[in-house]
């Protein structure tokens, strides 16, 4: 593994202050910071922050020093700042802390932590039955958990607070970084330092041509390598008065662009999720074969919609379940489920047929219909003593295990039996509870079990109750659960024997599927079984937005991690003796030091070859035309580029601004190549 | 289609065979590591440095001791970087000299130049270990392929196959790293957890080859699950390097303490440090960890997003806070926190490494606790 050489960040002493050593990189203090301030407290080398721009993002490693700058800036003896500054400072400081990296880290951890209980404690919107079981199992703790919002963590206020705060922090940071990046995109690359050859990997050589020409040639080479190049204009001078012949080149803006796209896309995802929840709806319905439903509020067994959905204006499609086919392996593992449906997309539209299977929903308008689950619905027929059918229905049974042994509850409120109890008028309603086994066999240890999910040997075990079901009182009850408070169990006659409390019915055998001996001479026959399928209609108009944002997330992420941002500088000085010049080249990369070293070496070779081959020209104008400066700023703005040791990839560091060039040259601090 | 029992059995045999070959390779790596003279010679130099210099950079010591790279102990970062770019492998692999570097890498005459018989033998053992790893990899890949052929589907449909694939990817990542960088020292530290993992998969998680449950019968299986497996294998290797980084970092700090006179030389230091001295410097381990995570993180992001797209097709909503979804989100946030931590002052180094381990634990929970302990939409057919 190619190692870095010297320092590792935590132990490197800070080198700050101007003029601190001629051969080392010095951290250029922020314009606002008074040099006497105790910056050595900070372990990170300090660089110029994104000026005093309000809401500037905390630069890397300067979360606290940014603070300090504020203090320093505010504490300046400028009476000009005075009152207003003191008023603005605290919220500004607070904003800076909020948009700093450290806060982001803390919030990220909090977000991860906050999501944990949502996975360990049953959630109401995922599995309300489990929530009920949990509450029953934890009578003292459950109400507390409920108050804390632990049964709906992801809608709880404290969870929302975490991610909203994180997004505010993100947006605040993005605000200044986007502006900063746009400025960098249109502006010049930061100008060359006084001695670029002193940078790591830098070199210098002598050439025969004048400095302007050498620099122009170098600029062309770099331009050919698709760098953004700014060659110094002829006649430009450095702060000390000497002529300035330099080239500043930069490449790899895509890194920051990708980073910004990634973070903006996160915000868009949040937006899409929010909009989708406001404008979306979903409903589930259980449909027995032969039956159907329409996309209306009343058809659904369960329905929920966002605040801005007008449930009266749902698209009125309707769907009929013609057939449901489930196929299984020999061992009972499910192979495939397919629901054949005929549907109309709107009122009066033609009927179409389709097949809905797992992973293959049916798309109708903006909504999708999914196949959620399935089960069996045996056919119960209640007859009176003359054989006339009093009541009949397919009653869905809820599956309990992989072989589709299902629990059945049948409630018959209108049996035709007269109420008992004289003046009390206690109704005589019938209820049956039992199990259905698609392929039922009697296991000596466990009783009846189902050994195969397909209905090859449909068997039913039933017990009977009579009494008051409380169905006429307007209080809703669970159709799958039986409250036996006011019911009395009674014995019946049937295939298992006479006077038995439970009967075992074989649905395929007409002689063995009737229970007799019910009150009033009624008899119950279970003469067939159909399958049912449960469908879910789901509409989320903004999921496309979320999808595109997700794609942008990936694209931005890859760009921000793979592209290298690097800068190359060339400077030429007239030779000490003769007409030639000395050319220096150097560069800095913010990441991937090893790859950059190779690139710098290759570029050096090219530039060197080009400048050595360049023939000295006799006219000055020729050099002037070939210089072609791209910069828009004036030359007096030469500055130095300093690197912060903590600047990396998806970090939030604002681009360091150019500060006034001091006489001490910049050089990379050793930790640069220690990173990635 | 019925399961081809013959191929299924072959798959199991190949799996066991690959484990045996990996075990042999691991022994080879360990032997090379132990008998490598490099650490010892460099330790002598390091001992001299530590004793003489007042406050040397601890990383210098680590660098001097690093396997394979004869890094110059000078202050010139250019030289250091050149040596870094040079990266001489312990077995004399081609020196990737970086053109334009101003210093030669001959400045440190460390153990690799030292043509010691023991060092040569250890290098031979190391190379044998690599050959064995490749062979084991081949057997492992063959095991997965035959399992897929036996069941007539891609071989990642249940926890056993999943875990086996992650191990395969981890070894692949290690081999791929070795092509580009001299990371043979990483061998024993990667192969060992892989072996343990494969053992657990073969015993606790094993199910006979069979068909997929219908819910998994979608082309998304090849997209979402492949991305998850790839990134998990890479994160596994990154967890290994993180642990190594923490060990080495602690060692370097202790050396610095000794050099600064704040602590006394420990017995381990007197005894040449042992294994720790032979690891590369903590910063290069940190870099390696970062590179691995930076490579795996976009793949994990893609896996989560692909999972959301599949969920939309299968369950009607792209995100429902199912425990698996929640934990994969938590893992994503934790690895994002790692990348942020590395860009924040005061959080690089040990704290970032801690974040990396937290993130890996989240990944572990995501795969095993969620599937086996918590029940949700992701619990298929029992396991």
């Amino acid at each position: 593994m190619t190692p870095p050489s010297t320092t590792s960040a935590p132990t490197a002493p800070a080198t700050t202050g101007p003029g601190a050593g001629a051969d080392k990189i010095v951290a250029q203090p922020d314009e606002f910071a008074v040099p006497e301030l105790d910056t050595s407290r900070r372990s990170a080398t300090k660089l110029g922050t994104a000026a005093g721009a309000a809401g500037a993002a905390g630069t890397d490693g300067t979360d606290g020093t940014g603070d300090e700058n504020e203090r320093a800036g505010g504490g300046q003896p400028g009476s000009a700042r005075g009152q207003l500054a003191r008023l603005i400072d605290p919220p500004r400081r607070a904003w800076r802390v909020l948009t700093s990296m450290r806060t982001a880290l803390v919030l990220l951890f909090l977000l991860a932590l906050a999501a944990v209980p949502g996975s360990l404690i049953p959630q109401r919107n995922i599995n309300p039955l489990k929530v009920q079981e949990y509450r029953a199992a934890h009578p003292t703790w459950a109400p507390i958990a409920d108050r804390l919002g632990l049964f709906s963590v992801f809608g709880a206020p404290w969870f929302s607070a975490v991610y909203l705060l994180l997004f505010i922090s993100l947006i605040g940071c993005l605000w200044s970084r986007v502006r900063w990046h746009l400025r960098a995109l249109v502006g010049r690359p930061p100008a060359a330092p006084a001695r670029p050859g002193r940078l790591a990997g830098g070199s210098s050589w002598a050439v025969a041509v004048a400095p302007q020409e050498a620099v122009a040639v170098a600029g062309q080479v770099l331009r050919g390598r698709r760098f953004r190049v700014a060659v110094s204009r002829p006649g430009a001078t450095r702060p000390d008065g000497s002529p300035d012949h330099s080239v500043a080149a930069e490449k790899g803006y895509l890194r920051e662009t990708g980073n910004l796209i990634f973070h903006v896309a996160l915000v868009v995802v949040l937006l899409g999720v929010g909009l989708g929840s406001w404008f979306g709806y979903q409903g589930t319905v259980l449909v027995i074969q032969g039956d159907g439903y329409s996309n209306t509020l009343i058809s659904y067994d369960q329905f929920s919609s966002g605040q801005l959905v007008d449930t009266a204006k749902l698209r009125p499609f309707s769907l009929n379940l013609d057939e449901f086919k489930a196929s299984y392996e020999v061992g009972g593992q499910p192979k495939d489920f397919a629901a054949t449906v005929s549907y109309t997309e709107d009122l009066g539209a033609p009927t179409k047929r389709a097949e809905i299977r797992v992973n293959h929903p049916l798309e109708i308008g903006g909504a999708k219909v999914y196949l959620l689950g399935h089960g069996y619905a045996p056919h119960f027929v209640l007859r009176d003593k003359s054989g006339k059918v009093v009541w009949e229905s397919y009653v869905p049974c809820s599956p309990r295990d992989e072989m589709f042994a299902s629990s059945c509850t049948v409630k018959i409120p209108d049996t035709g039996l007269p109420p008992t109890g004289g003046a009390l008028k206690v109704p005589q309603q019938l209820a049956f509870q039992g199990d259905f086994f698609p392929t039922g066999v009697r296991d000596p240890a466990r009783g009846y079990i189902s050994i195969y999910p397909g209905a090859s040997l449909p068997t039913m075990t039933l017990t009977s109750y009579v009494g008051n079901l409380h169905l006429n009182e307007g209080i809703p009850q669970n159709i799958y659960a039986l409250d036996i408070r006011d019911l009395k169990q009674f014995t019946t006659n049937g295939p298992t024997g006479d006077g038995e409390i439970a009967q075992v019915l074989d649905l395929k055998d007409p002689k063995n599927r009737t229970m007799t001996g019910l009150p009033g001479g009624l008899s119950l026959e279970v003469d067939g079984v159909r399958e049912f399928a449960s469908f879910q209609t789901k509409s989320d108009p903004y999921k496309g937005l979320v999808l595109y944002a997700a794609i942008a997330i990936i694209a931005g992420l890859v760009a921000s991690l793979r592209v290298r941002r690097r800068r190359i500088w060339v400077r030429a000085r007239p030779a000490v003796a003769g007409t030639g010049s000395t050319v220096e080249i150097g560069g800095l990369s913010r990441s991937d030091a090893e790859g950059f070293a190779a690139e710098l070496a290759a570029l050096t070779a090219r530039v060197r070859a080009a400048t050595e081959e360049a023939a000295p020209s006799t006219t000055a104008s020729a050099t002037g035309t070939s210089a072609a400066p791209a910069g828009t700023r004036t030359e007096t703005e030469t500055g130095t580029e300093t690197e912060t040791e903590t600047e990396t990839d998806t970090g939030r560091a604002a681009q360091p601004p150019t500060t006034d060039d001091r006489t001490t040259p910049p050089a990379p601090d050793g930790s640069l190549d220690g990173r990635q | 289609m019925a399961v081809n029992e013959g191929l299924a059995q072959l798959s199991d045999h190949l799996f066991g065979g690959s484990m045996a070959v990996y075990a042999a390779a691991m022994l080879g790596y360990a032997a090379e590591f132990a008998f490598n003279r490099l650490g010892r010679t460099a330790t002598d130099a390091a001992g001299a440095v530590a004793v003489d210099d007042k406050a040397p950079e601890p990383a210098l010591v680590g660098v001097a001791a690093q396997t394979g790279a004869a890094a110059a102990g000078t202050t010139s970062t250019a030289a250091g970087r050149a040596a870094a770019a040079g990266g001489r492998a312990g077995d004399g692999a081609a020196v990737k000299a970086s053109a334009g570097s101003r210093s030669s890498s001959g400045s440190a005459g460390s153990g690799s130049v030292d043509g010691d018989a023991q060092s040569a033998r250890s290098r031979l053992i190391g190379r044998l270990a690599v050959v064995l790893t490749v062979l084991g990899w081949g057997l492992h890949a063959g095991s997965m392929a035959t399992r897929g052929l036996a069941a007539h589907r891609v071989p990642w449909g249940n926890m056993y196959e999943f875990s086996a694939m992650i191990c395969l990817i981890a070894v692949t990542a290690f081999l791929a790293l070795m092509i580009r960088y001299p990371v043979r020292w990483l061998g024993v530290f990667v192969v060992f957890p892989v072996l343990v993992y494969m053992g657990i998969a073969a015993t606790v998680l094993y199910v006979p080859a069979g068909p997929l449950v219908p819910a998994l019968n979608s082309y998304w299986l090849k997209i979402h699950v492949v991305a998850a497996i790839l990134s998990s294998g890479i994160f596994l290797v990154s967890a290994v390097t993180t642990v190594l980084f923490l060990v080495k970092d602690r060692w370097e700090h202790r050396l610095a303490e000794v050099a600064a006179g704040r602590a006394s030389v420990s017995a381990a230091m007197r005894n040449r440090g042992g294994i720790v001295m032979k690891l590369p410097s903590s910063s290069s381990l940190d870099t390696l960890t970062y590179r691995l995570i930076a490579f795996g993180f976009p793949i994990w992001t893609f896996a989560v997003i692909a999972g959301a797209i599949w969920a939309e097709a299968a369950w009607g909503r792209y995100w429902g806070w199912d425990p698996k979804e929640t934990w994969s989100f938590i893992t994503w946030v934790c690895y994002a926190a790692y990348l942020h931590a590395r860009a924040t002052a005061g959080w690089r180094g040990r704290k970032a490494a801690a974040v990396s381990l937290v993130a890996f634990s989240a990944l572990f929970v995501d795969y095993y606790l969620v599937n086996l302990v918590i029940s949700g939409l992701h619990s298929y057919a029992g396991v």
Side-chain angles (χ1 to χ4, degrees), chain A residues 34 41 98 146 154 175 205 218 323 340 419 448 543:
Chain A
V34 181
R41 258 191 286 135
L98 178 62
D146 210 359
F154 302 104
W175 183 250
W205 60 90
E323 196 192 348
T340 313
Y448 274 91
K543 58 185 181 214

Side-chain angles (χ1 to χ4, degrees), chain B residues 111-342:
Chain B
S112 63
V113 185
D114 181 353
D116 197 52
Q118 199 163 4
S119 175
R121 183 172 62 189
S122 76
R123 272 180 280 141
L124 179 64
I125 293 177
R127 276 191 237 151
L128 272 177
V130 173
V131 169
L132 283 175
T133 310
V134 173
L135 176 63
W137 181 91
L139 291 174
H140 194 169
S143 162
M144 303 317 300
T146 47
R147 180 135 171 142
L149 288 170
H152 308 286
R153 57 172 177 78
V154 283
W156 48 82
N158 52 52
M159 290 285 283
Y160 162 72
E161 294 168 2
F162 217 58
S163 311
M165 285 297 297
I166 291 178
C167 293
L168 183 65
I169 297 299
V171 177
T172 311
F174 167 60
L175 289 173
L177 274 179
M178 261 207 292
I179 293 174
R180 276 204 72 195
Y181 309 109
V183 291
R184 210 164 63 225
W185 49 267
L186 197 50
V188 60
F189 302 106
V190 167
V191 177
F192 176 65
V194 161
L195 262 184
V196 171
Y197 201 175
M198 283 172 79
I200 294 177
T203 50
V204 174
L205 299 172
Y206 181 78
V207 289
L212 284 171
V213 291
L216 291 179
N217 203 357
S218 162
Y219 60 87
W220 282 106
L221 182 67
K222 301 180 188 83
I223 304 173
H224 160 66
V225 177
V226 166
I229 290 174
L230 273 176
S231 45
S232 307
I234 294 170
F235 285 149
L236 175 61
V237 180
S238 82
V240 168
T241 57
T242 304
V243 170
L244 292 176
F245 164 79
L246 286 171
V247 169
K248 187 68 192 235
D249 187 63
R250 182 162 168 269
W251 174 255
E252 287 174 357
H253 272 88
R254 281 171 56 200
L255 281 178
E257 298 275 299
V258 170
R262 281 196 291 274
S264 58
V265 182
S266 73
M269 289 178 197
R270 248 184 272 273
N271 201 16
R272 293 166 182 161
I275 296 176
V276 179
M277 285 304 282
K278 296 175 192 183
L279 290 174
S281 74
S282 64
S283 28
S284 81
L285 282 167
D286 185 47
T287 308
L288 181 57
T289 307
Y290 168 78
R291 286 221 174 110
L292 285 167
I293 293 182
F295 188 74
F297 186 67
I299 305 178
W300 180 258
T301 311
F302 175 72
V304 173
I305 291 176
I309 300 175
W310 190 7
E312 206 276 334
W315 301 326
R317 85 288 179 281
Y318 52 82
W319 197 265
W321 297 109
D322 177 66
K324 189 83 160 190
E325 291 171 341
T326 306
W327 276 98
S328 63
F329 171 72
I330 292 173
T331 308
W332 185 86
V333 166
C334 286
Y335 276 111
Y338 171 80
L339 292 174
H340 279 78
R342 264 198 123 241

Side-chain angles (χ1 to χ4, degrees), chain A residues 208-375:
Chain A
V209 294
Q212 301 100 297
E213 249 186 62
V215 148
V217 165
Q220 269 180 326
V221 170
L222 288 170
R223 234 177 247 121
R225 304 296 296 158
R226 288 184 289 122
F227 276 77
R228 272 189 72 224
V229 173
V231 181
S232 61
R233 288 207 210 103
T237 53
R238 309 200 63 237
D240 61 3
S242 58
D244 178 25
H245 307 289
S246 64
V247 179
E250 189 169 17
K251 196 176 174 190
Y253 294 95
L254 187 60
R255 185 186 187 90
E256 179 69 3
T257 312
N259 189 15
L260 294 172
I261 287 177
F262 169 78
H263 285 90
V264 168
L266 284 177
V267 180
V268 175
V269 164
L270 183 68
L271 192 68
V273 169
L275 286 173
S277 78
W278 280 344
F279 289 97
Y281 66 87
Q282 63 94 12
T284 54
V285 59
L286 188 149
V287 179
I288 301 177
Q289 210 167 322
D291 217 346
Y293 79 98
S294 308
N295 187 26
T296 55
L297 193 54
I298 202 166
S299 294
Y300 288 108
D301 296 333
Q302 177 264 328
F303 187 88
S304 60
S305 64
Q307 266 109 327
L308 298 177
V309 173
D310 185 357
T311 49
K313 294 220 169 76
L314 300 177
R315 188 188 180 127
F317 66 82
S318 55
L319 188 142
N320 201 61
L321 179 63
D322 297 331
E323 196 192 348
F324 181 84
K325 254 181 73 66
S327 53
Y328 305 93
E329 304 281 338
V330 169
Q333 296 105 332
K335 204 157 70 168
D336 193 20
F337 304 120
T340 313
V341 300
S342 45
Y343 67 100
T344 60
E345 288 197 13
D346 211 328
L347 293 171
T351 311
K352 300 189 205 165
R353 286 178 72 97
E355 201 175 63
I356 307 180
R357 332 152 79 118
V358 179
N359 286 330
H360 295 92
L362 173 65
E363 179 143 5
I364 302 179
K368 281 194 181 173
V369 178
Y370 296 83
L371 178 62
L372 278 192
H374 68 105

Side-chain angles (χ1 to χ4, degrees), chain A residues 1-7 60-61 102 105 108 119 126 130 154 200 334 359 368 370 538 543 592 601 649 673-676, chain B residues 57 59 63 66 80-81 84 99 182 214-215 283 287 290-291 310 312-314 316 318 321 327 333 337 342-343 345 348 375:
Chain A
M1 180 63 200
T2 56
S5 56
T6 52
T7 58
D60 282 338
R102 210 161 283 166
L105 260 181
L108 278 174
S119 66
I126 295 180
K130 266 193 142 178
F154 302 104
N359 286 330
K368 281 194 181 173
Y370 296 83
K538 190 93 200 314
K543 58 185 181 214
D592 190 15
D649 15 287
D673 36 332
R675 292 169 284 123
Q676 51 280 25
Chain B
E57 297 277 37
V63 159
Q66 93 188 315
R81 212 162 350 145
S283 28
T287 308
Y290 168 78
R291 286 221 174 110
W310 190 7
E312 206 276 334
Y318 52 82
W321 297 109
W327 276 98
V333 166
R342 264 198 123 241
R348 294 189 64 145
S375 78

